[in-house]
Amino acid sequence: MASERYDSCWLRYEASIDDERLESYRRRCLHVYASDGAPELGVVREELRRGLEGVFGREPHLWHHPPRSADGFLAVGLPDEMRPITESVDVEFVRSLDDDGYLIRAVEWEESDCLVLTAPTDTGLVYGTFHLLRLLATGEPIDDLEIVEEPANAERIVNHWDNPFRGLVERGYAGQSIFDWERLPQLDERYADYARLLASVGLNGLCVNNVNTKIPGREGANEVVSQQAGWQLLESANLEKVAALAALFRRYGVRLYLSVNYASPMLIGGLDTADPLEPAVEEWWAEKVAEVYDLIPDFGGFVVKADSEGQTGPYDYGRDHAEGANVIGRAFEPYDGRVWWRAFVYSDHEDRAVQAYETFEPLDGAFDDNVTLQIKNGPIDFQQREPVSTLFGAMPETALGCELQITQEYTGQGVHACYLVPQWKEILEFDTHAPVEGSRVADLLADTPGQGIAGVGVVGDDPNWTGHYLAQANLYGFGRLCWDPDLESETITDEWVALTFGTDPEVRETVSRILLDSWQAAIDYHTGGIGLIHMMYNGETALENHYDPSPEEWPEYTGVSEDGIGVDRSSSGSDYAGQYREPLASRYDSPETCPEELLLFFHHLPWEYELADGTTVIQRLYDGCFDGVERVRVLRQRWRSLEGRIDERRYRHVAERFDEHAHQAVRWRDTLCAFFYEYSEIPDEAGRIPIEEC
Ligand code: GCW
């Protein structure tokens, strides 16, 4: 990236490539014939110039016609645009690809070794360009290339929880917001670099503000909250700021979205109600959406958090969520955009886990075509591990989106290394059995317009973008999985490491192992590893801490008592298990068949209940917490083995984080073990717990 202000992340283009490979790259890519009609093609040329210069150590030659050189060349354009492409590919086939798809092929054209990169749209060319540069920057062979790519998910979106005009990011651990709304429509070069990062991993949407657009009725909470002002982005005067950003991101194929407040007709429109069945409200939304499309013709849509955690919603008017969402959905009918309506709705209830399903499943089929139901991956809230939400598979007549959290709210925030790709793989590969065996979450989402994946953003104005340097891998992996959920975690990880830290095999292997083992470590010391959740500290301020250990605060989530631990969500309890299709419902319903890693999520069990291998629940919890700390120490040790093999600045940053991470893991372990002991009064068999000191 051009700037000294911040890191280039995985777009460093600093490969060290052996001579033979470099020679093959030179032959096919030092000369580039690229069309330059549309704005996206400016991006393609710019990126090729940058990437190829990184690879070759000198500027490539960019041509507007087939270059006359002894070598071959790279041809980039639409399939019918230039002879080298038209004569090398099946034009109709390329046109039939998904709009974001592309084809890259090594060919011989007029006796030269060439590469052609073509796509049905200019956006496809942008994605293809990043793909090709990824191959070159990691030293992959290109002489036999034959790549055809299409994204699995139509919608691949990042949801920022930024609070505009305040600079703050809710659950952001990488500093202030990168978007400066006071200065906009004036643009900052960092916005373009952010767009490059998103496009390079195949993302196509960005919601720029927090779903908490306003917190009415929570006065007395701290000032920060009462000042949240995201709802104002929909005011006419602010839309030009949004439009300026949209114009920039558009060049990279990224569409903009806004989180809007359900009471906008009142807050902005001056109406005295936001009742979705009120004609004036319907008219207001239609006019507002038309105004947005006048300025931003490719606008993506609205994200709405309604009737949740203090946000207004249809319940305020005695309406259900379909009525609530449809009034906005209808406003999008004339356009290619939609409402992403969040299913994160809960209230005081004995078991929060059952609520989203109880609220939304009966409404299947009632949502407008322009509404997508955005469902968090699990029934609670981005815990270290949760079962997959029962809504996946339960709403075949509704467009669905899966919400993941890229930022590490409950997994160590900006301090702990926790690579979430393995978690997301587990979620996306989960077999819902709906309607039949083999129906994975990934399959339910894929290949349907208006469906896909939204990830809660992680980026802030920290020079390294993500707070913890290794957290860049989560953004990278999120994009790659949205594009292709069938990619293996190991493949994605290896790509990121090679692009970010280079191709030294030892570095590649070591950093990959650190990342791939980090999630299990986080599960173990945060939970003990058999399905407990939600044992973090909350605190009194509006923006709860969610970082430090504080298990005693949450008896309703741990089900702790003197006779045992875990929450009964089986048929003898809240019956969350019963919301799954068979055979899942029966499997989770019995502690004998429930997978151990979720056991205490579904069951309240005696402390001395014996697990399959004869270990008791209490002992397994102690062991899990201790294992977690050991795992973190191993990660830290592996990182330390890299000293001198990667640059000092990045080495130090991560090494320091690991020191603190190890310290925090011990705090979690000791707090949890003391808590378990306090209730069970059963000591650790291994005598490791200095209980008196806790
Ligand atoms: O995860 C919880 C967070 C809140 C967040 C809320 C939500 C944006 O603690 O910070 O608010 O969920 O997803 O709406």
Side-chain angles (χ1 to χ4, degrees):
M1 276 167 202
S3 175
E4 296 292 297
R5 271 161 58 206
Y6 47 84
D7 194 69
S8 308
C9 302
W10 54 86
L11 298 178
R12 309 168 78 81
Y13 304 127
E14 280 171 357
S16 59
I17 300 156
D18 69 55
D19 289 349
E20 200 184 321
R21 181 70 28 97
L22 201 56
E23 186 41 41
S24 98
Y25 289 1
R26 265 201 205 102
R27 220 168 41 244
R28 293 183 193 266
C29 300
L30 188 55
H31 294 267
V32 181
Y33 168 29
S35 59
D36 57 1
E40 289 86 350
L41 297 173
V43 164
V44 165
R45 294 173 77 89
E46 232 170 78
E47 202 63 34
L48 285 170
R49 199 173 282 124
R50 218 194 285 248
L52 295 175
E53 185 172 351
V55 171
F56 296 127
R58 64 175 156 119
E59 272 207 35
H61 304 273
L62 267 68
W63 304 80
H64 294 274
H65 52 76
R68 274 179 274 294
S69 94
D71 291 331
F73 56 90
L74 165 66
V76 183
L78 299 178
D80 50 4
E81 230 178 4
M82 34 222 285
R83 275 184 51 229
I85 296 182
T86 313
E87 292 168 13
S88 310
V89 302
D90 174 349
V91 172
E92 279 318 308
F93 170 74
V94 175
R95 284 205 192 111
S96 75
L97 291 175
D98 181 284
D99 275 0
D100 290 347
Y102 52 87
L103 177 151
I104 310 174
R105 175 178 293 167
V107 301
E108 195 176 300
W109 187 75
E110 296 200 342
E111 290 172 21
S112 302
D113 290 337
C114 295
L115 266 191
V116 296
L117 162 47
T118 184
T121 69
D122 298 328
T123 313
L125 294 178
V126 174
Y127 291 126
T129 298
F130 280 111
H131 187 147
L132 177 62
L133 290 173
R134 179 166 73 230
L135 297 177
L136 302 184
T138 50
E140 293 294 315
I142 60 165
D143 283 337
D144 300 310
L145 274 193
E146 175 67 45
I147 292 174
V148 178
E149 283 276 334
E150 291 178 306
N153 291 292
E155 317 286 346
R156 310 176 298 277
I157 308 172
V158 170
N159 281 190
H160 273 253
W161 285 355
D162 292 15
N163 298 323
F165 304 106
R166 300 287 151 225
L168 304 170
V169 185
E170 178 151 342
R171 308 302 176 197
Y173 309 105
Q176 306 275 95
S177 170
I178 62 166
F179 301 116
D180 186 341
W181 292 95
E182 306 289 350
R183 290 230 172 102
L184 277 161
Q186 192 184 311
L187 296 170
D188 185 286
E189 67 167 345
R190 192 161 189 171
Y191 305 156
D193 284 322
Y194 187 36
R196 292 175 56 226
L197 289 173
L198 297 179
S200 70
V201 290
L203 293 166
N204 69 353
L206 180 69
C207 181
V208 290
N209 62 313
N210 192 353
V211 290
N212 291 333
T213 44
K214 187 169 189 284
I215 303 206
R218 275 176 74 175
E219 287 83 9
N222 69 18
E223 220 200 338
V224 169
V225 164
S226 59
Q227 287 176 343
Q228 283 178 341
W231 59 275
Q232 289 168 329
L233 291 184
L234 211 48
E235 288 179 333
S236 303
N238 288 325
L239 282 176
E240 83 176 85
K241 294 170 184 274
V242 183
L245 269 185
L248 182 148
F249 279 87
R250 176 178 307 128
R251 301 180 65 214
Y252 295 86
V254 178
R255 303 208 291 170
L256 246 59
Y257 295 68
L258 288 177
S259 293
V260 300
N261 191 286
Y262 199 70
S264 295
M266 299 157 77
L267 290 166
I268 296 168
L271 302 186
D272 57 10
T273 177
D275 182 348
L277 299 194
E278 183 61 51
V281 169
E282 170 138 12
E283 207 174 298
W284 186 84
W285 281 113
E287 278 169 19
K288 185 46 90 176
V289 168
E291 182 188 351
V292 173
Y293 275 91
D294 259 357
L295 290 166
I296 310 171
D298 64 340
F299 184 67
F302 293 156
V303 181
V304 188
K305 172 174 176 174
D307 292 321
S308 168
E309 301 187 331
Q311 304 291 298
T312 6
Y315 285 167
D316 293 335
Y317 305 96
R319 313 299 181 197
D320 68 31
H321 276 258
E323 290 168 321
N326 290 346
V327 69
I328 314 182
R330 281 194 294 275
F332 281 93
E333 256 163 40
Y335 312 100
D336 177 24
R338 45 204 307 115
V339 178
W340 289 70
W341 189 265
R342 295 178 86 231
F344 185 62
V345 175
Y346 67 99
S347 54
D348 283 342
H349 193 292
E350 254 176 56
D351 181 18
R352 168 177 169 187
V354 301
Q355 292 187 56
Y357 184 97
E358 284 179 355
T359 308
F360 288 97
E361 189 276 340
L363 296 176
D364 186 32
F367 287 96
D368 194 270
D369 285 350
N370 291 79
V371 177
T372 299
L373 192 64
Q374 179 167 322
I375 306 165
K376 285 193 186 187
N377 60 269
I380 304 293
D381 189 19
F382 304 132
Q383 298 301 294
Q384 296 81 13
R385 172 183 256 138
E386 287 184 42
V388 167
S389 167
T390 44
L391 281 172
F392 293 109
M395 302 190 63
E397 304 300 321
T398 308
L400 301 184
C402 176
E403 181 177 315
L404 302 171
Q405 198 181 42
I406 314 171
T407 188
Q408 293 170 230
E409 177 175 358
Y410 298 96
T411 51
Q413 303 189 354
V415 179
H416 306 206
C418 184
Y419 180 55
L420 292 164
V421 166
Q423 185 200 62
W424 301 332
K425 282 290 282 183
E426 184 173 291
I427 294 157
L428 294 167
E429 279 175 7
F430 178 76
D431 185 352
T432 64
H433 289 265
V436 290
E437 187 179 354
S439 311
R440 304 173 311 160
V441 172
D443 307 322
L444 298 180
L445 300 172
D447 295 327
T448 310
Q451 293 207 140
I453 306 181
V456 178
V458 62
V459 155
D461 73 354
D462 188 294
N464 73 24
W465 298 82
T466 51
H468 193 307
Y469 196 87
L470 297 182
Q472 289 178 9
N474 284 330
L475 181 58
Y476 183 90
F478 172 74
R480 298 288 287 129
L481 273 185
C482 289
W483 183 278
D484 182 1
D486 289 330
L487 284 170
E488 294 298 332
S489 297
E490 290 73 14
T491 310
I492 297 174
T493 315
D494 180 61
E495 277 176 18
W496 179 78
V497 178
L499 290 165
T500 306
F501 289 109
T503 47
D504 171 348
E506 194 173 322
V507 174
R508 213 162 161 169
E509 162 77 17
T510 308
V511 179
S512 286
R513 283 174 56 219
I514 291 172
L515 291 173
L516 290 166
D517 292 345
S518 60
W519 178 45
Q520 187 60 52
I523 293 172
D524 284 345
Y525 64 81
H526 278 112
T527 74
I530 48 174
L532 290 178
I533 54 162
H534 217 278
M535 294 189 279
M536 70 294 159
Y537 174 63
N538 210 37
E540 291 305 311
T541 58
L543 198 63
E544 299 100 349
N545 161 296
H546 292 187
Y547 176 77
D548 296 303
S550 183
E552 67 287 350
E553 219 175 304
W554 306 102
E556 70 277 31
Y557 286 97
T558 58
V560 72
S561 66
E562 275 156 25
D563 66 15
I565 190 158
V567 175
D568 186 0
R569 296 189 169 97
S570 72
S571 45
S572 56
S574 73
D575 204 21
Y576 174 71
Q579 293 178 351
Y580 289 95
R581 269 68 45 194
E582 289 297 354
L584 298 171
S586 304
R587 186 179 304 158
Y588 289 134
D589 198 50
S590 157
E592 305 295 315
T593 50
C594 181
E596 254 171 29
E597 67 272 14
L598 293 172
L599 193 57
L600 300 180
F601 187 89
F602 285 102
H603 298 281
H604 179 84
L605 297 173
W607 292 105
E608 292 189 279
Y609 178 89
E610 280 186 19
L611 303 172
D613 68 356
T615 318
T616 58
V617 161
I618 177 65
Q619 192 56 40
R620 179 61 69 79
L621 289 170
Y622 289 144
D623 291 347
C625 291
F626 274 83
D627 285 354
V629 169
E630 283 321 303
R631 287 178 198 273
V632 174
R633 288 181 177 150
V634 170
L635 303 181
R636 176 172 65 173
Q637 211 37 52
R638 287 186 196 150
W639 183 262
R640 285 180 176 170
S641 77
L642 296 173
E643 185 163 17
R645 294 194 92 101
I646 58 178
D647 55 286
E648 181 65 11
R649 195 179 45 79
R650 290 189 291 169
Y651 171 77
R652 283 261 131 259
H653 162 86
V654 176
E656 282 162 16
R657 287 286 203 276
F658 266 125
D659 287 343
E660 183 61 18
H661 183 173
H663 175 70
Q664 295 299 337
V666 169
R667 276 183 72 211
W668 270 88
R669 178 195 72 191
D670 291 351
T671 310
L672 295 195
C673 288
F675 168 72
F676 300 143
Y677 178 74
E678 189 192 324
Y679 283 87
S680 68
E681 292 184 353
I682 301 168
D684 167 36
E685 274 168 12
R688 291 164 298 191
I689 306 166
I691 296 298
E692 330 67 66
E693 291 166 31
C694 291

